[in-house]
Amino acid sequence: MAEATPSPVGLVLEPDRIRERVAQMGAQITQDYAGRSPILVGVLKGSVMFMADLVRHIDLPVRVDFMAISSYGEGGRSGVVRILKDLSEPIEGEDVILVEDIIDTGLTVTYLLTNLRARKPRSLEVCALLDKSVRRIIEVPIRYEGFDIPDEFVIGYGLDHQGRYRNLRSIVGVRDIDALAEDPDAIVAPYV
Ligand code: IMP
Ligand code: MG
């Protein structure tokens, strides 16, 4: 009898599921920040799709800004992050929401929170679409969380592998990264 090949794909979050959850998160932010005008700070590039959808579910006069930092792989696991592009406006006295695609070890967001806190915002909260909580090294206070996900490398909806797959409409957990490199279409084709 032939042995079953384990699927290279694990978690799949379909566009409808993402849309529904992002709408809920936007509604929650609208409620929590009523009467205020928060600045949403996105971390490039992974948070771009999430940010674009999230802000359209926030019924407040929000502002949006972005930071770019050295990315996964290049940055290593030290938790020391290099800022490649800083915010375009000061955040002193402002209500700031840091918008992340995914929190893995927590090192990156911890570094960013320390950096942003030093600029004396009135408040500072974290909004993350994905939380790979089993991998956490440093505890992170996540005020708004989309999905808690298993320990799989995820691509799509802004998340990349070596710069690719950000444009997938679903979020796809890849169990076998080597298989992705060998035959990407075999894994990705159903989710474009
Ligand atoms: P952390 O410092 O380990 O929390 O890493 C956070 C950053 O690593 C995220 O902002 C992503 O850019 C990247 N990252 C972590 N896990 C994944 C993944 O499964 N797919 C794509 N990027 C990831
Ligand atoms: Mg990121």
Side-chain angles (χ1 to χ4, degrees), residues 114-136:
T114 304
N115 181 291
L116 294 175
R117 210 172 277 125
R119 307 180 198 200
K120 309 258 187 295
R122 174 175 148 182
S123 67
L124 179 60
E125 302 288 353
V126 176
C127 175
L129 180 63
L130 304 175
D131 180 5
K132 226 188 264 184
S133 59
V134 293
R135 300 242 318 152
R136 198 62 34 80

mmCIF file with all atom_site columns, all heavy atoms in Angstrom, residues 114-136:
data_model
loop_
_atom_site.group_PDB
_atom_site.id
_atom_site.type_symbol
_atom_site.label_atom_id
_atom_site.label_alt_id
_atom_site.label_comp_id
_atom_site.label_asym_id
_atom_site.label_entity_id
_atom_site.label_seq_id
_atom_site.pdbx_PDB_ins_code
_atom_site.Cartn_x
_atom_site.Cartn_y
_atom_site.Cartn_z
_atom_site.occupancy
_atom_site.B_iso_or_equiv
_atom_site.pdbx_formal_charge
_atom_site.auth_seq_id
_atom_site.auth_comp_id
_atom_site.auth_asym_id
_atom_site.auth_atom_id
_atom_site.pdbx_PDB_model_num
ATOM 1   N N   . THR A 1 114 ? 9.407  49.906 22.105 1.00 0.00 ? 114 THR A N   1
ATOM 2   C CA  . THR A 1 114 ? 10.368 50.680 22.891 1.00 0.00 ? 114 THR A CA  1
ATOM 3   C C   . THR A 1 114 ? 10.732 51.960 22.149 1.00 0.00 ? 114 THR A C   1
ATOM 4   O O   . THR A 1 114 ? 10.767 53.055 22.722 1.00 0.00 ? 114 THR A O   1
ATOM 5   C CB  . THR A 1 114 ? 11.639 49.844 23.148 1.00 0.00 ? 114 THR A CB  1
ATOM 6   O OG1 . THR A 1 114 ? 11.245 48.633 23.785 1.00 0.00 ? 114 THR A OG1 1
ATOM 7   C CG2 . THR A 1 114 ? 12.628 50.590 24.026 1.00 0.00 ? 114 THR A CG2 1
ATOM 8   N N   . ASN A 1 115 ? 10.974 51.820 20.858 1.00 0.00 ? 115 ASN A N   1
ATOM 9   C CA  . ASN A 1 115 ? 11.328 52.961 20.019 1.00 0.00 ? 115 ASN A CA  1
ATOM 10  C C   . ASN A 1 115 ? 10.198 53.988 19.972 1.00 0.00 ? 115 ASN A C   1
ATOM 11  O O   . ASN A 1 115 ? 10.415 55.191 20.131 1.00 0.00 ? 115 ASN A O   1
ATOM 12  C CB  . ASN A 1 115 ? 11.672 52.437 18.616 1.00 0.00 ? 115 ASN A CB  1
ATOM 13  C CG  . ASN A 1 115 ? 12.075 53.538 17.676 1.00 0.00 ? 115 ASN A CG  1
ATOM 14  O OD1 . ASN A 1 115 ? 11.257 54.355 17.280 1.00 0.00 ? 115 ASN A OD1 1
ATOM 15  N ND2 . ASN A 1 115 ? 13.363 53.591 17.337 1.00 0.00 ? 115 ASN A ND2 1
ATOM 16  N N   . LEU A 1 116 ? 8.961  53.517 19.788 1.00 0.00 ? 116 LEU A N   1
ATOM 17  C CA  . LEU A 1 116 ? 7.826  54.442 19.665 1.00 0.00 ? 116 LEU A CA  1
ATOM 18  C C   . LEU A 1 116 ? 7.473  55.075 21.010 1.00 0.00 ? 116 LEU A C   1
ATOM 19  O O   . LEU A 1 116 ? 7.115  56.255 21.075 1.00 0.00 ? 116 LEU A O   1
ATOM 20  C CB  . LEU A 1 116 ? 6.611  53.712 19.083 1.00 0.00 ? 116 LEU A CB  1
ATOM 21  C CG  . LEU A 1 116 ? 6.760  53.229 17.633 1.00 0.00 ? 116 LEU A CG  1
ATOM 22  C CD1 . LEU A 1 116 ? 5.538  52.409 17.214 1.00 0.00 ? 116 LEU A CD1 1
ATOM 23  C CD2 . LEU A 1 116 ? 6.952  54.409 16.678 1.00 0.00 ? 116 LEU A CD2 1
ATOM 24  N N   . ARG A 1 117 ? 7.595  54.311 22.079 1.00 0.00 ? 117 ARG A N   1
ATOM 25  C CA  . ARG A 1 117 ? 7.266  54.826 23.407 1.00 0.00 ? 117 ARG A CA  1
ATOM 26  C C   . ARG A 1 117 ? 8.158  56.013 23.764 1.00 0.00 ? 117 ARG A C   1
ATOM 27  O O   . ARG A 1 117 ? 7.708  56.959 24.430 1.00 0.00 ? 117 ARG A O   1
ATOM 28  C CB  . ARG A 1 117 ? 7.404  53.706 24.446 1.00 0.00 ? 117 ARG A CB  1
ATOM 29  C CG  . ARG A 1 117 ? 6.463  53.862 25.616 1.00 0.00 ? 117 ARG A CG  1
ATOM 30  C CD  . ARG A 1 117 ? 6.491  52.634 26.521 1.00 0.00 ? 117 ARG A CD  1
ATOM 31  N NE  . ARG A 1 117 ? 5.641  51.559 26.036 1.00 0.00 ? 117 ARG A NE  1
ATOM 32  C CZ  . ARG A 1 117 ? 6.057  50.302 25.801 1.00 0.00 ? 117 ARG A CZ  1
ATOM 33  N NH1 . ARG A 1 117 ? 7.312  49.962 25.995 1.00 0.00 ? 117 ARG A NH1 1
ATOM 34  N NH2 . ARG A 1 117 ? 5.211  49.398 25.373 1.00 0.00 ? 117 ARG A NH2 1
ATOM 35  N N   . ALA A 1 118 ? 9.406  55.962 23.311 1.00 0.00 ? 118 ALA A N   1
ATOM 36  C CA  . ALA A 1 118 ? 10.362 57.040 23.600 1.00 0.00 ? 118 ALA A CA  1
ATOM 37  C C   . ALA A 1 118 ? 9.924  58.373 22.976 1.00 0.00 ? 118 ALA A C   1
ATOM 38  O O   . ALA A 1 118 ? 10.395 59.436 23.368 1.00 0.00 ? 118 ALA A O   1
ATOM 39  C CB  . ALA A 1 118 ? 11.745 56.653 23.083 1.00 0.00 ? 118 ALA A CB  1
ATOM 40  N N   . ARG A 1 119 ? 8.995  58.288 22.004 1.00 0.00 ? 119 ARG A N   1
ATOM 41  C CA  . ARG A 1 119 ? 8.519  59.519 21.359 1.00 0.00 ? 119 ARG A CA  1
ATOM 42  C C   . ARG A 1 119 ? 7.292  60.101 22.065 1.00 0.00 ? 119 ARG A C   1
ATOM 43  O O   . ARG A 1 119 ? 6.651  61.017 21.563 1.00 0.00 ? 119 ARG A O   1
ATOM 44  C CB  . ARG A 1 119 ? 8.177  59.243 19.891 1.00 0.00 ? 119 ARG A CB  1
ATOM 45  C CG  . ARG A 1 119 ? 9.330  58.567 19.139 1.00 0.00 ? 119 ARG A CG  1
ATOM 46  C CD  . ARG A 1 119 ? 8.970  58.304 17.709 1.00 0.00 ? 119 ARG A CD  1
ATOM 47  N NE  . ARG A 1 119 ? 9.861  57.307 17.126 1.00 0.00 ? 119 ARG A NE  1
ATOM 48  C CZ  . ARG A 1 119 ? 10.057 57.136 15.820 1.00 0.00 ? 119 ARG A CZ  1
ATOM 49  N NH1 . ARG A 1 119 ? 9.412  57.882 14.959 1.00 0.00 ? 119 ARG A NH1 1
ATOM 50  N NH2 . ARG A 1 119 ? 10.875 56.207 15.381 1.00 0.00 ? 119 ARG A NH2 1
ATOM 51  N N   . LYS A 1 120 ? 6.962  59.535 23.203 1.00 0.00 ? 120 LYS A N   1
ATOM 52  C CA  . LYS A 1 120 ? 5.897  60.045 24.082 1.00 0.00 ? 120 LYS A CA  1
ATOM 53  C C   . LYS A 1 120 ? 4.507  60.159 23.448 1.00 0.00 ? 120 LYS A C   1
ATOM 54  O O   . LYS A 1 120 ? 3.854  61.213 23.507 1.00 0.00 ? 120 LYS A O   1
ATOM 55  C CB  . LYS A 1 120 ? 6.281  61.429 24.642 1.00 0.00 ? 120 LYS A CB  1
ATOM 56  C CG  . LYS A 1 120 ? 7.664  61.502 25.280 1.00 0.00 ? 120 LYS A CG  1
ATOM 57  C CD  . LYS A 1 120 ? 7.540  61.469 26.783 1.00 0.00 ? 120 LYS A CD  1
ATOM 58  C CE  . LYS A 1 120 ? 8.869  61.700 27.498 1.00 0.00 ? 120 LYS A CE  1
ATOM 59  N NZ  . LYS A 1 120 ? 9.870  60.630 27.249 1.00 0.00 ? 120 LYS A NZ  1
ATOM 60  N N   . PRO A 1 121 ? 4.015  59.064 22.854 1.00 0.00 ? 121 PRO A N   1
ATOM 61  C CA  . PRO A 1 121 ? 2.616  59.093 22.401 1.00 0.00 ? 121 PRO A CA  1
ATOM 62  C C   . PRO A 1 121 ? 1.694  59.131 23.627 1.00 0.00 ? 121 PRO A C   1
ATOM 63  O O   . PRO A 1 121 ? 2.107  58.747 24.728 1.00 0.00 ? 121 PRO A O   1
ATOM 64  C CB  . PRO A 1 121 ? 2.472  57.769 21.645 1.00 0.00 ? 121 PRO A CB  1
ATOM 65  C CG  . PRO A 1 121 ? 3.480  56.856 22.266 1.00 0.00 ? 121 PRO A CG  1
ATOM 66  C CD  . PRO A 1 121 ? 4.638  57.735 22.674 1.00 0.00 ? 121 PRO A CD  1
ATOM 67  N N   . ARG A 1 122 ? 0.487  59.575 23.424 1.00 0.00 ? 122 ARG A N   1
ATOM 68  C CA  . ARG A 1 122 ? -0.481 59.578 24.530 1.00 0.00 ? 122 ARG A CA  1
ATOM 69  C C   . ARG A 1 122 ? -0.846 58.141 24.908 1.00 0.00 ? 122 ARG A C   1
ATOM 70  O O   . ARG A 1 122 ? -0.994 57.796 26.074 1.00 0.00 ? 122 ARG A O   1
ATOM 71  C CB  . ARG A 1 122 ? -1.726 60.349 24.086 1.00 0.00 ? 122 ARG A CB  1
ATOM 72  C CG  . ARG A 1 122 ? -2.843 60.305 25.092 1.00 0.00 ? 122 ARG A CG  1
ATOM 73  C CD  . ARG A 1 122 ? -3.997 61.182 24.644 1.00 0.00 ? 122 ARG A CD  1
ATOM 74  N NE  . ARG A 1 122 ? -5.248 60.620 25.115 1.00 0.00 ? 122 ARG A NE  1
ATOM 75  C CZ  . ARG A 1 122 ? -6.433 61.136 24.856 1.00 0.00 ? 122 ARG A CZ  1
ATOM 76  N NH1 . ARG A 1 122 ? -6.539 62.229 24.123 1.00 0.00 ? 122 ARG A NH1 1
ATOM 77  N NH2 . ARG A 1 122 ? -7.523 60.574 25.314 1.00 0.00 ? 122 ARG A NH2 1
ATOM 78  N N   . SER A 1 123 ? -1.024 57.296 23.887 1.00 0.00 ? 123 SER A N   1
ATOM 79  C CA  . SER A 1 123 ? -1.267 55.874 24.118 1.00 0.00 ? 123 SER A CA  1
ATOM 80  C C   . SER A 1 123 ? -0.626 55.088 22.987 1.00 0.00 ? 123 SER A C   1
ATOM 81  O O   . SER A 1 123 ? -0.378 55.628 21.907 1.00 0.00 ? 123 SER A O   1
ATOM 82  C CB  . SER A 1 123 ? -2.773 55.594 24.185 1.00 0.00 ? 123 SER A CB  1
ATOM 83  O OG  . SER A 1 123 ? -3.369 55.822 22.923 1.00 0.00 ? 123 SER A OG  1
ATOM 84  N N   . LEU A 1 124 ? -0.353 53.819 23.257 1.00 0.00 ? 124 LEU A N   1
ATOM 85  C CA  . LEU A 1 124 ? 0.316  52.968 22.261 1.00 0.00 ? 124 LEU A CA  1
ATOM 86  C C   . LEU A 1 124 ? -0.196 51.541 22.421 1.00 0.00 ? 124 LEU A C   1
ATOM 87  O O   . LEU A 1 124 ? -0.052 50.948 23.503 1.00 0.00 ? 124 LEU A O   1
ATOM 88  C CB  . LEU A 1 124 ? 1.838  53.025 22.483 1.00 0.00 ? 124 LEU A CB  1
ATOM 89  C CG  . LEU A 1 124 ? 2.731  52.192 21.560 1.00 0.00 ? 124 LEU A CG  1
ATOM 90  C CD1 . LEU A 1 124 ? 2.567  52.591 20.094 1.00 0.00 ? 124 LEU A CD1 1
ATOM 91  C CD2 . LEU A 1 124 ? 4.204  52.346 21.983 1.00 0.00 ? 124 LEU A CD2 1
ATOM 92  N N   . GLU A 1 125 ? -0.833 51.023 21.376 1.00 0.00 ? 125 GLU A N   1
ATOM 93  C CA  . GLU A 1 125 ? -1.377 49.659 21.418 1.00 0.00 ? 125 GLU A CA  1
ATOM 94  C C   . GLU A 1 125 ? -0.919 48.887 20.182 1.00 0.00 ? 125 GLU A C   1
ATOM 95  O O   . GLU A 1 125 ? -0.525 49.487 19.182 1.00 0.00 ? 125 GLU A O   1
ATOM 96  C CB  . GLU A 1 125 ? -2.916 49.687 21.443 1.00 0.00 ? 125 GLU A CB  1
ATOM 97  C CG  . GLU A 1 125 ? -3.530 50.463 22.606 1.00 0.00 ? 125 GLU A CG  1
ATOM 98  C CD  . GLU A 1 125 ? -3.404 49.765 23.964 1.00 0.00 ? 125 GLU A CD  1
ATOM 99  O OE1 . GLU A 1 125 ? -2.959 48.592 24.000 1.00 0.00 ? 125 GLU A OE1 1
ATOM 100 O OE2 . GLU A 1 125 ? -3.744 50.400 24.981 1.00 0.00 ? 125 GLU A OE2 1
ATOM 101 N N   . VAL A 1 126 ? -1.024 47.563 20.273 1.00 0.00 ? 126 VAL A N   1
ATOM 102 C CA  . VAL A 1 126 ? -0.623 46.701 19.161 1.00 0.00 ? 126 VAL A CA  1
ATOM 103 C C   . VAL A 1 126 ? -1.851 46.042 18.542 1.00 0.00 ? 126 VAL A C   1
ATOM 104 O O   . VAL A 1 126 ? -2.712 45.524 19.254 1.00 0.00 ? 126 VAL A O   1
ATOM 105 C CB  . VAL A 1 126 ? 0.358  45.601 19.625 1.00 0.00 ? 126 VAL A CB  1
ATOM 106 C CG1 . VAL A 1 126 ? 0.685  44.640 18.476 1.00 0.00 ? 126 VAL A CG1 1
ATOM 107 C CG2 . VAL A 1 126 ? 1.631  46.213 20.199 1.00 0.00 ? 126 VAL A CG2 1
ATOM 108 N N   . CYS A 1 127 ? -1.900 46.071 17.211 1.00 0.00 ? 127 CYS A N   1
ATOM 109 C CA  . CYS A 1 127 ? -2.943 45.394 16.452 1.00 0.00 ? 127 CYS A CA  1
ATOM 110 C C   . CYS A 1 127 ? -2.242 44.453 15.468 1.00 0.00 ? 127 CYS A C   1
ATOM 111 O O   . CYS A 1 127 ? -1.529 44.905 14.581 1.00 0.00 ? 127 CYS A O   1
ATOM 112 C CB  . CYS A 1 127 ? -3.769 46.429 15.697 1.00 0.00 ? 127 CYS A CB  1
ATOM 113 S SG  . CYS A 1 127 ? -5.012 45.714 14.606 1.00 0.00 ? 127 CYS A SG  1
ATOM 114 N N   . ALA A 1 128 ? -2.421 43.146 15.660 1.00 0.00 ? 128 ALA A N   1
ATOM 115 C CA  . ALA A 1 128 ? -1.731 42.175 14.808 1.00 0.00 ? 128 ALA A CA  1
ATOM 116 C C   . ALA A 1 128 ? -2.749 41.239 14.177 1.00 0.00 ? 128 ALA A C   1
ATOM 117 O O   . ALA A 1 128 ? -3.610 40.697 14.873 1.00 0.00 ? 128 ALA A O   1
ATOM 118 C CB  . ALA A 1 128 ? -0.725 41.373 15.626 1.00 0.00 ? 128 ALA A CB  1
ATOM 119 N N   . LEU A 1 129 ? -2.630 41.042 12.878 1.00 0.00 ? 129 LEU A N   1
ATOM 120 C CA  . LEU A 1 129 ? -3.553 40.123 12.216 1.00 0.00 ? 129 LEU A CA  1
ATOM 121 C C   . LEU A 1 129 ? -3.313 38.686 12.670 1.00 0.00 ? 129 LEU A C   1
ATOM 122 O O   . LEU A 1 129 ? -4.252 37.961 12.960 1.00 0.00 ? 129 LEU A O   1
ATOM 123 C CB  . LEU A 1 129 ? -3.394 40.209 10.695 1.00 0.00 ? 129 LEU A CB  1
ATOM 124 C CG  . LEU A 1 129 ? -4.328 39.286 9.916  1.00 0.00 ? 129 LEU A CG  1
ATOM 125 C CD1 . LEU A 1 129 ? -5.787 39.659 10.138 1.00 0.00 ? 129 LEU A CD1 1
ATOM 126 C CD2 . LEU A 1 129 ? -3.982 39.287 8.434  1.00 0.00 ? 129 LEU A CD2 1
ATOM 127 N N   . LEU A 1 130 ? -2.045 38.294 12.741 1.00 0.00 ? 130 LEU A N   1
ATOM 128 C CA  . LEU A 1 130 ? -1.716 36.913 13.077 1.00 0.00 ? 130 LEU A CA  1
ATOM 129 C C   . LEU A 1 130 ? -0.822 36.868 14.316 1.00 0.00 ? 130 LEU A C   1
ATOM 130 O O   . LEU A 1 130 ? 0.059  37.708 14.487 1.00 0.00 ? 130 LEU A O   1
ATOM 131 C CB  . LEU A 1 130 ? -0.992 36.231 11.915 1.00 0.00 ? 130 LEU A CB  1
ATOM 132 C CG  . LEU A 1 130 ? -1.714 36.232 10.566 1.00 0.00 ? 130 LEU A CG  1
ATOM 133 C CD1 . LEU A 1 130 ? -0.820 35.618 9.490  1.00 0.00 ? 130 LEU A CD1 1
ATOM 134 C CD2 . LEU A 1 130 ? -3.036 35.477 10.652 1.00 0.00 ? 130 LEU A CD2 1
ATOM 135 N N   . ASP A 1 131 ? -1.052 35.868 15.133 1.00 0.00 ? 131 ASP A N   1
ATOM 136 C CA  . ASP A 1 131 ? -0.268 35.682 16.345 1.00 0.00 ? 131 ASP A CA  1
ATOM 137 C C   . ASP A 1 131 ? 0.210  34.231 16.386 1.00 0.00 ? 131 ASP A C   1
ATOM 138 O O   . ASP A 1 131 ? -0.586 33.317 16.552 1.00 0.00 ? 131 ASP A O   1
ATOM 139 C CB  . ASP A 1 131 ? -1.167 35.991 17.562 1.00 0.00 ? 131 ASP A CB  1
ATOM 140 C CG  . ASP A 1 131 ? -0.427 35.813 18.872 1.00 0.00 ? 131 ASP A CG  1
ATOM 141 O OD1 . ASP A 1 131 ? 0.787  35.542 18.854 1.00 0.00 ? 131 ASP A OD1 1
ATOM 142 O OD2 . ASP A 1 131 ? -1.087 35.947 19.929 1.00 0.00 ? 131 ASP A OD2 1
ATOM 143 N N   . LYS A 1 132 ? 1.526  34.055 16.180 1.00 0.00 ? 132 LYS A N   1
ATOM 144 C CA  . LYS A 1 132 ? 2.101  32.705 16.275 1.00 0.00 ? 132 LYS A CA  1
ATOM 145 C C   . LYS A 1 132 ? 2.577  32.542 17.717 1.00 0.00 ? 132 LYS A C   1
ATOM 146 O O   . LYS A 1 132 ? 3.777  32.493 17.995 1.00 0.00 ? 132 LYS A O   1
ATOM 147 C CB  . LYS A 1 132 ? 3.266  32.596 15.297 1.00 0.00 ? 132 LYS A CB  1
ATOM 148 C CG  . LYS A 1 132 ? 3.277  31.332 14.465 1.00 0.00 ? 132 LYS A CG  1
ATOM 149 C CD  . LYS A 1 132 ? 4.561  31.211 13.667 1.00 0.00 ? 132 LYS A CD  1
ATOM 150 C CE  . LYS A 1 132 ? 4.455  31.720 12.266 1.00 0.00 ? 132 LYS A CE  1
ATOM 151 N NZ  . LYS A 1 132 ? 5.724  31.500 11.496 1.00 0.00 ? 132 LYS A NZ  1
ATOM 152 N N   . SER A 1 133 ? 1.619  32.470 18.629 1.00 0.00 ? 133 SER A N   1
ATOM 153 C CA  . SER A 1 133 ? 1.936  32.615 20.055 1.00 0.00 ? 133 SER A CA  1
ATOM 154 C C   . SER A 1 133 ? 2.828  31.495 20.593 1.00 0.00 ? 133 SER A C   1
ATOM 155 O O   . SER A 1 133 ? 3.579  31.713 21.540 1.00 0.00 ? 133 SER A O   1
ATOM 156 C CB  . SER A 1 133 ? 0.647  32.716 20.870 1.00 0.00 ? 133 SER A CB  1
ATOM 157 O OG  . SER A 1 133 ? -0.141 31.562 20.658 1.00 0.00 ? 133 SER A OG  1
ATOM 158 N N   . VAL A 1 134 ? 2.781  30.318 19.986 1.00 0.00 ? 134 VAL A N   1
ATOM 159 C CA  . VAL A 1 134 ? 3.623  29.213 20.481 1.00 0.00 ? 134 VAL A CA  1
ATOM 160 C C   . VAL A 1 134 ? 5.120  29.503 20.306 1.00 0.00 ? 134 VAL A C   1
ATOM 161 O O   . VAL A 1 134 ? 5.942  28.846 20.932 1.00 0.00 ? 134 VAL A O   1
ATOM 162 C CB  . VAL A 1 134 ? 3.311  27.855 19.792 1.00 0.00 ? 134 VAL A CB  1
ATOM 163 C CG1 . VAL A 1 134 ? 1.922  27.372 20.169 1.00 0.00 ? 134 VAL A CG1 1
ATOM 164 C CG2 . VAL A 1 134 ? 3.456  27.925 18.280 1.00 0.00 ? 134 VAL A CG2 1
ATOM 165 N N   . ARG A 1 135 ? 5.447  30.461 19.473 1.00 0.00 ? 135 ARG A N   1
ATOM 166 C CA  . ARG A 1 135 ? 6.851  30.778 19.205 1.00 0.00 ? 135 ARG A CA  1
ATOM 167 C C   . ARG A 1 135 ? 7.374  31.954 20.037 1.00 0.00 ? 135 ARG A C   1
ATOM 168 O O   . ARG A 1 135 ? 8.534  32.340 19.912 1.00 0.00 ? 135 ARG A O   1
ATOM 169 C CB  . ARG A 1 135 ? 7.023  31.126 17.715 1.00 0.00 ? 135 ARG A CB  1
ATOM 170 C CG  . ARG A 1 135 ? 6.617  30.009 16.796 1.00 0.00 ? 135 ARG A CG  1
ATOM 171 C CD  . ARG A 1 135 ? 7.749  29.531 15.967 1.00 0.00 ? 135 ARG A CD  1
ATOM 172 N NE  . ARG A 1 135 ? 8.539  30.641 15.466 1.00 0.00 ? 135 ARG A NE  1
ATOM 173 C CZ  . ARG A 1 135 ? 9.845  30.553 15.185 1.00 0.00 ? 135 ARG A CZ  1
ATOM 174 N NH1 . ARG A 1 135 ? 10.477 29.424 15.362 1.00 0.00 ? 135 ARG A NH1 1
ATOM 175 N NH2 . ARG A 1 135 ? 10.483 31.599 14.716 1.00 0.00 ? 135 ARG A NH2 1
ATOM 176 N N   . ARG A 1 136 ? 6.513  32.510 20.884 1.00 0.00 ? 136 ARG A N   1
ATOM 177 C CA  . ARG A 1 136 ? 6.862  33.748 21.568 1.00 0.00 ? 136 ARG A CA  1
ATOM 178 C C   . ARG A 1 136 ? 8.082  33.600 22.478 1.00 0.00 ? 136 ARG A C   1
ATOM 179 O O   . ARG A 1 136 ? 8.187  32.647 23.244 1.00 0.00 ? 136 ARG A O   1
ATOM 180 C CB  . ARG A 1 136 ? 5.647  34.216 22.397 1.00 0.00 ? 136 ARG A CB  1
ATOM 181 C CG  . ARG A 1 136 ? 5.664  35.677 22.836 1.00 0.00 ? 136 ARG A CG  1
ATOM 182 C CD  . ARG A 1 136 ? 5.659  36.667 21.688 1.00 0.00 ? 136 ARG A CD  1
ATOM 183 N NE  . ARG A 1 136 ? 4.905  36.262 20.526 1.00 0.00 ? 136 ARG A NE  1
ATOM 184 C CZ  . ARG A 1 136 ? 3.577  36.354 20.420 1.00 0.00 ? 136 ARG A CZ  1
ATOM 185 N NH1 . ARG A 1 136 ? 2.861  36.863 21.378 1.00 0.00 ? 136 ARG A NH1 1
ATOM 186 N NH2 . ARG A 1 136 ? 2.980  35.964 19.322 1.00 0.00 ? 136 ARG A NH2 1
#
